[in-house]
Amino acid sequence: PLAVALAGPAGAGRGIDVERVRAARGALARRVVRDDERAAFDALVDIEEPYKAALFFSLKEAVYKAISRDAPSVGFKQVRLGPAADGGCGVAVDADVLAGGAVEAAWRVVSAAGEDFFLSTAVYRR
């Protein structure tokens, strides 16, 4: 079992996502990763190629949950990520989807019951 919680400032949107670390099909990367994210995707040299798409998926899911009150119908290609090997992650949301505010995200690999998971979190401050 794996249980997680995310605290944040009052009034902030919070999002969390947990995805099993497993190889994703190439179709997921094409659906989730924007062309302007490709350099950040390729720079994650410590993560094997098939797993990177699962990380981007997890991070974007956490961002969507954090901003869902103000942007209920955001798509994968409307959020731009810049994850770093240290677990930080730059986030930009297209202005036509979310005007104002700031989104911070982070990720890490956690182990539970002999399996590894991507744990991604996001906080949106209006």
Side-chain angles (χ1 to χ4, degrees), residues 56-71:
F56 270 69
F57 179 85
S58 180
L59 280 163
K60 289 190 178 190
E61 284 291 315
V63 169
Y64 299 154
K65 293 169 186 173
I67 68 174
S68 64
R69 178 191 273 164
D70 292 348

Side-chain angles (χ1 to χ4, degrees), residues 83-95:
D86 67 0
C89 183
V91 179
V93 180
D94 289 354

Side-chain angles (χ1 to χ4, degrees), residues 21-46:
V21 174
R22 62 178 171 218
R25 288 178 246 173
L28 181 62
R30 286 189 298 277
R31 194 172 52 133
V32 174
V33 180
R34 295 166 45 140
D35 291 340
D36 58 357
E37 293 173 311
R38 198 68 202 177
F41 185 87
D42 293 339
L44 293 170
V45 295
D46 291 338

Side-chain angles (χ1 to χ4, degrees), residues 14-28:
R14 292 175 283 285
I16 193 164
D17 191 69
V18 179
E19 298 290 334
R20 184 174 282 114
V21 174
R22 62 178 171 218
R25 288 178 246 173
L28 181 62

Side-chain angles (χ1 to χ4, degrees), residues 19-25 50-55 115-116 118:
E19 298 290 334
R20 184 174 282 114
V21 174
R22 62 178 171 218
R25 288 178 246 173
Y51 301 100
K52 293 178 190 182
L55 173 59
E115 294 190 73
D116 290 334
F118 288 122

